[in-house]
Amino acid sequence: MSKYQEPIGDHTPEWSHPVNYGKENIISADVLIIGGGSGGFAAAKRAAQLGGRVTIVEEAYYGGNCLHKACIPSKFLLTTARLIGSIRKAGHFGIQVGEPKLDMETLHNRKDLMIKGFHIGTERLLADCGITLVKGRGRLVARDTVEVEGPACRQTGKQIRARNVLVATGSVAAQPPIEGADLSGVIGTEEAIELREVPARMAILGSKPWDLELAQYFHTIGSEVTLIESGPQLLPEADREIAQRLGKLLYDAGIVIKRGVAVEAIRRGDDGTLVVVLAEGKGEVIADKVLAASRLPNSAGLGLHELGVEMEHGAVLVNERMETSVPHIYAVGDVTAGPMWSHKANVEGIIAGENAMGLTSKMDYNVMPRCLYTWPQVAWVGLPEEQAEAQGIEVSIGEVPMAINLYAMILDETAGMIKIIADKRYGEILGVHIMAPGAVDLINVATVAMLSEATVDELMRLFPMHPAIGEAMVDAAMDVEKRSLHLPH
């Protein structure tokens, strides 16, 4: 039986009904989760599968920021831009078409309708598992007690007691420490995704995955885009060679890239435009919109500090079991330290849900893939070449450019490569880096190989379909030992 509180938004689920708090207005649970995003959802489902009584307290919307304002809507927009790019290249395949026209209103209406459907489906899935859903803001007032404020509670002070509490409150948008970052027209990713007019000029500060994705999106739909990166390399966490290839691809497409340049301030021009002032007298960038995206762990006001939960720069510190410094309090996702990825939060939620129900599970971040939904896509797992060498590991490298892959030629997407880093002595796969069509799916094959502690010799024995992008990954494994069939060894 479902256990809903108030309906979410303007949608009243036909299966909903109020929770009966009982005489003391207290719900008891095995696992109480604050936050219903990717990590909270996964933890709730897993704990319920293990027979737990589970309650989720969610202040805004089930499915979290990823579903509503980040991953899902941005990938929808990127898919639209990729289709525009494909239409523009249709002549390469003998198809004669004109310049595509984009109806922004139709685009965003479909995006919003799709997200609403996902939102309703997420609620239904949780409810069908017997998970209690409470709309409101949760705050720990004791190790085992969460106080909820919100419309579902009719008044403040309603409490939920639980054997285990899991914090999965995600992250919040933050202004970067730049003078003028609070000016109108300086936006974050959430606002950028919702723009229904194409900015004539856009400056993007930084080169995180979402920065590069949105740079390609806005450039494709008609904006003049300037990327400003303070460091020497775009996408600093990626393998240098892959990052260089992606940077060249974006530059060749017409995106202006300024590397090794810090931003001193953002100011309002006399004509109402935004002026990005570069440090050390390196000039200015004029823009109608400035994307300055930054996020911080959403840990304020949760009662964590009062209970002695250890934190660092606002991020909750956890061990490999997702346990905080206070017994029976767990934390997952963006509210913890480390990179902010929805799939990371999802797996952490499963781990925390299992441990809260008495199992013994541990996270392994060495096999956490990362990705960009640019085109071609970029994805990697494990160590980049530079990190492996910095750790003193003697490595062997296998590389295959997409320019020699027959299927990449057919698709007319030959700008990328596949690179494999292996331990020279034992052949263990330490990292796989892909810039190619379908990289986001292909990286999962590499992740399974690393989870299995496979060697390059074992990866060589994979026989992929022909023609396929996957052939290049096997060829890269063979190139580690300089045995590639398609390179001049």
Side-chain angles (χ1 to χ4, degrees):
M1 185 69 73
S2 59
K3 303 178 182 178
Y4 267 82
Q5 297 296 309
E6 293 283 312
I8 309 298
D10 59 357
H11 174 73
T12 305
E14 61 182 7
W15 63 90
S16 68
H17 65 82
V19 168
N20 180 7
Y21 280 95
K23 294 182 179 180
E24 297 181 358
N25 293 320
I26 292 175
I27 301 173
S28 62
D30 295 307
V31 183
L32 181 282
I33 300 166
I34 306 176
S38 298
F41 171 87
K45 279 283 292 179
R46 187 65 186 119
Q49 289 170 351
L50 293 169
R53 293 172 301 160
V54 182
T55 296
I56 300 180
V57 176
E58 170 56 54
E59 182 180 14
Y61 28 68
Y62 294 95
N65 193 69
C66 173
L67 174 58
H68 293 84
K69 296 180 178 295
C71 317
I72 301 305
S74 68
K75 301 317 174 269
F76 178 80
L77 298 181
L78 284 163
T79 299
T80 300
R82 181 178 56 80
L83 288 171
I84 290 173
S86 296
I87 292 169
R88 288 173 176 159
K89 293 198 324 184
H92 297 191
F93 299 88
I95 304 170
Q96 301 303 316
V97 293
E99 175 66 17
K101 295 181 180 180
L102 179 60
D103 183 337
M104 292 288 278
E105 198 66 22
T106 300
L107 171 69
H108 282 275
N109 287 344
R110 182 168 185 265
K111 167 182 67 67
D112 295 343
L113 182 63
M114 178 184 66
I115 290 171
K116 184 176 181 179
F118 291 158
H119 172 89
I120 294 170
T122 300
E123 289 186 9
R124 182 187 291 273
L125 190 56
L126 291 169
D128 287 347
C129 292
I131 296 167
T132 302
L133 307 183
V134 178
K135 184 72 179 295
R137 180 171 179 80
R139 180 179 183 275
L140 279 152
V141 294
R143 187 215 59 77
D144 61 351
T145 306
V146 171
E147 188 172 88
V148 184
E149 297 182 359
C153 303
R154 314 297 182 190
Q155 58 183 351
T156 62
K158 304 304 180 183
Q159 295 185 342
I160 305 172
R161 289 181 181 164
R163 291 191 301 109
N164 301 280
V165 176
L166 188 147
V167 179
T169 47
S171 60
V172 292
Q175 287 184 354
I178 299 172
E179 177 191 340
D182 57 346
L183 290 173
S184 175
V186 180
I187 59 177
T189 54
E190 295 178 9
E191 295 90 346
I193 287 169
E194 291 302 321
L195 287 176
R196 298 197 176 207
E197 293 184 0
V198 181
R201 295 161 297 186
M202 175 170 277
I204 299 178
L205 313 188
S207 63
K208 294 291 187 182
W210 52 80
D211 296 319
L212 299 180
E213 290 174 346
L214 289 172
Q216 197 175 40
Y217 164 71
F218 281 108
H219 172 72
T220 302
I221 66 174
S223 296
E224 294 180 7
V225 176
T226 301
L227 267 172
I228 305 170
E229 166 57 52
S230 60
Q233 173 182 313
L234 295 185
L235 201 62
E237 62 265 44
D239 184 89
R240 183 182 301 142
E241 197 167 359
I242 292 287
Q244 288 173 344
R245 283 179 177 263
L246 180 60
K248 184 178 186 306
L249 178 83
L250 298 176
Y251 175 81
D252 289 346
I255 294 174
V256 177
I257 298 175
K258 295 181 179 293
R259 284 190 294 253
V261 179
V263 173
E264 180 179 292
I266 304 169
R267 300 195 175 116
R268 181 73 63 191
D270 294 337
D271 59 354
T273 59
L274 293 167
V275 180
V276 180
V277 182
L278 305 180
E280 300 178 2
K282 293 186 177 180
E284 300 175 341
V285 175
I286 310 300
D288 300 288
K289 297 288 183 183
V290 175
L291 175 60
S294 180
R295 298 195 71 82
L296 295 173
N298 183 20
S299 60
L302 298 176
L304 298 171
H305 178 74
E306 292 82 348
L307 291 174
V309 174
E310 291 185 11
M311 293 188 285
E312 187 175 275
H313 304 300
V316 180
L317 301 181
V318 294
N319 61 18
E320 59 190 359
R321 289 168 48 85
M322 311 316 301
E323 297 167 323
T324 70
S325 59
V326 176
H328 299 284
I329 298 180
Y330 299 79
V332 303
D334 290 2
V335 76
T336 65
M340 296 180 178
W341 294 92
S342 180
H343 57 281
K344 168 180 171 284
N346 186 278
V347 177
E348 288 176 340
I350 293 172
I351 297 296
E354 290 179 346
N355 289 326
M357 292 303 297
L359 301 183
T360 301
S361 301
K362 297 179 180 180
M363 275 295 298
D364 181 2
Y365 295 103
N366 294 322
V367 289
M368 183 184 75
R370 309 184 188 204
C371 60
L372 284 81
Y373 286 77
T374 50
W375 57 96
Q377 295 173 346
V378 175
W380 69 96
V381 62
L383 295 175
E385 180 180 355
E386 299 77 29
Q387 287 185 22
E389 291 175 347
Q391 293 179 21
I393 303 171
E394 191 174 5
V395 299
S396 296
I397 307 295
E399 299 181 6
V400 170
M402 283 298 105
I404 68 169
N405 179 268
L406 294 180
Y407 196 54
M409 294 181 202
I410 291 170
L411 297 175
D412 196 23
E413 293 189 30
T414 58
M417 66 178 294
I418 296 181
K419 180 175 182 177
I420 295 178
I421 296 49
D423 177 88
K424 189 168 187 177
R425 183 175 181 183
Y426 298 108
E428 179 186 358
I429 300 169
L430 302 176
V432 178
H433 308 266
I434 304 173
M435 178 179 169
V440 170
D441 291 312
L442 190 57
I443 201 65
N444 295 324
V445 176
T447 303
V448 170
M450 291 183 63
L451 273 169
S452 306
E453 298 182 350
T455 65
V456 287
D457 286 332
E458 290 166 321
L459 189 55
M460 286 181 211
R461 292 204 290 270
L462 173 69
F463 42 96
M465 296 293 294
H466 174 77
I469 301 298
E471 290 180 288
M473 188 162 71
V474 176
D475 219 24
M478 298 178 75
D479 188 53
V480 170
E481 297 184 2
K482 306 309 171 196
R483 292 169 46 190
S484 167
L485 301 181
H486 301 99
L487 291 171
H489 293 313

